[in-house]
Structures are given as structure tokens and as C-alpha cells.
Amino acid sequence: MHVLFLAAEAEPFVKIGGLADVAGALPVAIHHISENFGEKNKVDIRMVLPFHYAVKQNGVSPKYLGEFQIKKGQADLNCQVYQSMKNGVPVYFIDGPPLAGRSTVYSRNPELDGEKYIFFSLAALKLAEFLDWRVDILHTNDWHTAPAIAALKIHYRSTKCLSNTKALHTLHNLPFMGSNNEKTLAAYELSPGEDPSLPQWARHTPLPLGLSYADQIIVVSPNYASEIMTEAHGCGLEGFFRDRKQCISGILNGIDTHLWNPETDPLIPQKFTEKSIGKRLVNKRSLLQRYNLPEMDGGPLLILISRMDPQKGIDIALQGLQDCDALPWQAIFLGTGDPLVENLARDLEKKYPQRVRTFIEFNTPLAHQLYAGGDILMMPSRFEPCGLAQMIAMRYGCIPLATSTGGLKNTILPVENNPEGGTGFLFEQPNPAHFSATLQQAIKIYQNPDQWRQIQKNAMQSDYSWGKSALEYMHEYRALLTTNE
């Protein structure tokens, strides 16, 4: 089974958001698991990434393979191909005029990003011809690579390597659709979609255009797969998703349990396991001392590691904490994003200089240390397709307090429903009142050390490694291929 896996970013080559974690881990997990099933069921999965300036700056030096052209109107654009490897998986990098220069991975200019990723999507398809490699499954991710599905069905059906290819798309974050790129799609001869279930505006927007041609749509949690069929979360495509529900399924993302492992993590002061969880206190004290926060009896250290974006509900946590200022708590915020949200987080530190620290930066070592030393992870998201932070936090014994939405609902077992087996705290509505009421409950339980320790052990025993999810993707691949037989 030959799978061509396309993504805009992937660890360790370039990372901006959670997509990089998924794209960096899933193909490798599929490759290794399939090796256990014999030659007949082996999956030859190959990744394709843009050769971003950030990748080049990251010290990646792949082997140059050659060059080919793709058409944009009457022009022929040169595409350069390079190859590297990641844990047994071939990784190809595509370069060319729209990707050249020092542009960022994502910009605030939709036309610039549209030109870059539509070019990349078409070039990735042409790569199969260049390699003379039959593609059974085209696996795309988010809007950046969705145009490849449309191009596959519109232009490449007569191509030897792509004539029987099935297309599977993983939907990570629906609101980001690649809007305002009608002219760029037309320039690359990608005509508007014809699916009558699509609204008119969606027929010339990269993500819904690609989805309309997809043979299978995977949503990154079962709960979010249901939510996108509602007006509240469907972003105007809920009718389309309801009509296509037979080819939509939810598969949870996983986490890299080698990277995120408190027993071996080189970035934390004190390593620990579920059996030596008492050692965890060293990590909390290290954070408090380093950032000049006093130790507080009966008060948890709350952490928030997130993109500073309205979707993530940062403002909900900020207001909810102020509503709970009579309770014992301390908080550390880490992230970058919307300047307005960043300033709100800074303002909270100014208001509570003895309780709050705010770091507006991307800081991997600090993120590891916060997971290892924080008591409670705040995730007050307005919507959350899957979420990875709650899975990482639980692995480190840091208990999530989150909105009951999307993948958070699929991964956190609420203490209130299961006092003996709970792994975290969920609140129904993304607003400060629900957040603060749940925080009050969490702090009360935190002040019972035996009960809190049991919740931590429950959380650390949760298994969100990639193995189960990779198997589910392999089943989806196989099911698509049986329709060809």
C-alpha cells in the first residue's frame, strides 16, 4: 500500500502548531506498525513538505533529486525536489518560486499563503510522476494541502501513477479554510467545486473544494466529527457534512510518548514516574523559585500553554481567575498569538504580581517544565478539534481543567462523574462563570492530597500514544482500497 502524506509542517523539520506534532509522528507510527503485519500489509508511506525557509534555517540538508515543472496558466514553474529520512520514512521537500525567499510558514496575507500552498499541493502530485511511484492513498491535512485532492480528481485521473488513487483528508481545524484565493485557484486551473451541498462561497475556497472531492474525511476526534455537523461548529458547511456523514469518521490524534516522558525528559529538573510521583514537587518548587513566586499552602500552580487566540478561551481563564481571587492559586501563562490576547495576559501579571507570570514566547524547555511542575492545566477552549496539551499534561500528572468540547470531551474523564477513576475537570459552557465554579471544585479536591494523588495516577495511566490511532488510519486506508477491488 503506497501512501503519499502531505502537510504544511512537521516535526522535527519545522513546527508552528499542533499539525507539526501530528504530521511528524503519524507517518512514522504507521510505518513501524505496518512492518509487524508482513509484506502483504506493509504501508509504504512517504511524506511531502514545503522546503520552507524555516526548514533551511533549521539545519536540514536533504539530498537534491532533481527538477520538474508544473503549469500556472501559460507559464511553467520549476519545482526542485529534495529527500531526507525520518525514522525509516522518506521525506520529500518541494521548492520553487512561490516558496523561495524568506517568507514565514504562515502569513497574514491569504493571497501569499494561497499561492504558496496551491503551488505546493500541485507539485506534490507531480512528484509521484517524477518518482514513477504509484500512489494508492493521497493523505492531505488541513486547507494547505486540500487543493491536491481537487487537482487529483480534475487533472490527474489519466496519469499512470495516480489513476486509481483514493483521497483521504484529515481535518484538524475547520475555521481555517484558505479563504480569498479564488483567483489563485483559477490561475492553477482548479475550477470551482460542483457539489450541490456546498454553499456558493465554499466552491472556490481551498478547504471545502478539496473536501468535496475527498473519498474519506477524518476529523481529529469523534466528538468534533459530530460537532461540525451543527450550526455552532460547522462554519457554514454543516449541511455539506451532514450530507457526507457516511464518509466522515473521527480518529483521535496521539502524542509522541518518547518526547513527552517524565521518566526520561532531559528538560525537567526532576524526572519521575507514576510510582515516584512525590518527586514531582521538586519541579514545582523549581518553577516558583526561578520566577520569584512564593510557595502557597493549599494553592495549586495553574498553567496555560497555548496559542494566544480567542479560540483558546484565554480571556475566559483570565476573567475566571479574577473572579476567584479569594481562592489560593498561582498561574503561569506561556504562548504567543493575537496581540490583544497577549496584552490581556500581561495585564493579569500586572494586577497580581505575586501570583502570575506571563511569558509571550515560544519556549520548548519551559513548556516541558510547566507540564512537569504545574498542578492544573487550563484549557478553556471555545472549541477544540482534538487538543494535545491535555494529553501531554496528563502524562506528566498535571490535571486538565477544560471546556467539555471536541477532543477534550473524548480524552478527559471528569472527576465529578467518576470520583475514583477521573482524570480531570470539565465545564459545559466556555464562560468565566463555569470556569471559576469548576476551578473552585478543583482547588477543594487539590487540598485533599490523597484524592489528588489518585487523580494524578489515573491521568498518568491514560494511554494516548500513536499506536491505536495509527491502526485506525491503516484500517481507513484499507477500506478505501477495497472499493477499487
Side-chain angles (χ1 to χ4, degrees), residues 260-471:
W260 299 105
N261 185 353
E263 186 175 5
T264 59
D265 194 332
L267 298 176
I268 63 177
Q270 176 63 60
K271 300 174 180 60
F272 62 96
T273 68
E274 173 202 331
K275 294 179 180 178
S276 61
I277 200 169
K279 294 180 179 180
R280 210 178 169 278
L281 185 58
V282 173
N283 296 312
K284 179 178 180 179
R285 286 176 172 160
S286 174
L287 287 167
L288 297 178
Q289 290 168 7
R290 189 189 325 162
Y291 299 118
N292 197 26
L293 289 169
E295 288 198 38
M296 182 181 289
D297 270 348
L301 175 60
L302 313 177
I303 65 167
L304 190 148
I305 304 168
S306 175
R307 189 173 76 250
M308 295 286 179
D309 186 275
Q311 173 206 333
K312 300 297 185 178
I314 315 297
D315 57 307
I316 293 169
L318 296 171
Q319 183 57 55
L321 288 173
Q322 294 176 75
D323 294 342
C324 292
D325 64 358
L327 297 175
W329 55 261
Q330 295 164 300
I332 298 178
F333 293 81
L334 174 64
T336 63
D338 187 321
L340 292 176
V341 180
E342 292 176 352
N343 286 333
L344 288 174
R346 288 189 182 102
D347 289 344
L348 192 73
E349 179 176 348
K350 292 175 184 175
K351 184 172 182 177
Y352 299 106
Q354 297 303 309
R355 305 175 78 171
V356 177
R357 295 291 179 269
T358 296
F359 299 97
I360 304 302
E361 58 189 73
F362 184 86
N363 188 326
T364 296
L366 180 54
H368 281 249
Q369 291 150 19
L370 290 174
Y371 285 125
D375 297 304
I376 294 174
L377 171 78
M378 299 176 286
M379 288 191 74
S381 306
R382 289 183 165 86
F383 68 95
E384 193 66 60
C386 179
L388 298 177
Q390 80 279 14
M391 302 181 196
I392 297 168
M394 286 189 281
R395 185 156 170 78
Y396 282 73
C398 181
I399 305 306
L401 188 152
T403 317
S404 182
T405 187
L408 301 175
K409 191 173 183 178
N410 287 130
T411 52
I412 300 168
L413 185 60
V415 172
E416 57 268 31
N417 295 346
N418 191 337
E420 298 300 318
T423 60
F425 301 88
L426 291 175
F427 53 93
E428 287 299 322
Q429 298 298 324
N431 61 50
H434 279 244
F435 172 90
S436 56
T438 308
L439 177 59
Q440 184 173 354
Q441 176 199 10
I443 291 176
K444 184 177 180 180
I445 294 175
Y446 175 81
Q447 293 169 341
N448 181 332
D450 291 339
Q451 188 176 2
W452 191 260
R453 182 67 56 85
Q454 184 58 53
I455 297 168
Q456 287 181 300
K457 289 182 176 180
N458 295 342
M460 293 185 74
Q461 289 169 356
S462 302
D463 181 8
Y464 293 112
S465 59
W466 269 109
K468 180 175 182 292
S469 301
L471 274 174

Side-chain angles (χ1 to χ4, degrees), residues 45-106:
I45 187 165
R46 305 186 183 190
M47 298 169 60
V48 191
L49 302 171
F51 203 7
H52 295 294
Y53 177 72
V55 176
K56 299 169 187 175
Q57 290 297 102
N58 203 20
V60 178
S61 300
K63 177 184 176 182
Y64 176 70
L65 295 186
E67 186 172 280
F68 56 84
Q69 289 78 38
I70 65 167
K71 282 198 169 295
K72 180 186 178 185
Q74 299 301 311
D76 288 324
L77 300 182
N78 290 330
C79 310
Q80 294 81 39
V81 186
Y82 302 82
Q83 184 183 351
S84 183
M85 296 289 290
K86 180 182 179 182
N87 297 338
V89 175
V91 182
Y92 299 96
F93 295 96
I94 298 288
D95 207 350
L99 287 161
R102 300 192 175 196
S103 66
T104 57
V105 175
Y106 308 119

Side-chain angles (χ1 to χ4, degrees), residues 159-174:
T159 303
K160 179 184 71 169
C161 296
L162 300 167
S163 59
N164 292 310
T165 304
K166 295 290 186 176
L168 178 149
H169 185 85
T170 298
L171 186 60
H172 299 265
N173 206 341
L174 177 58

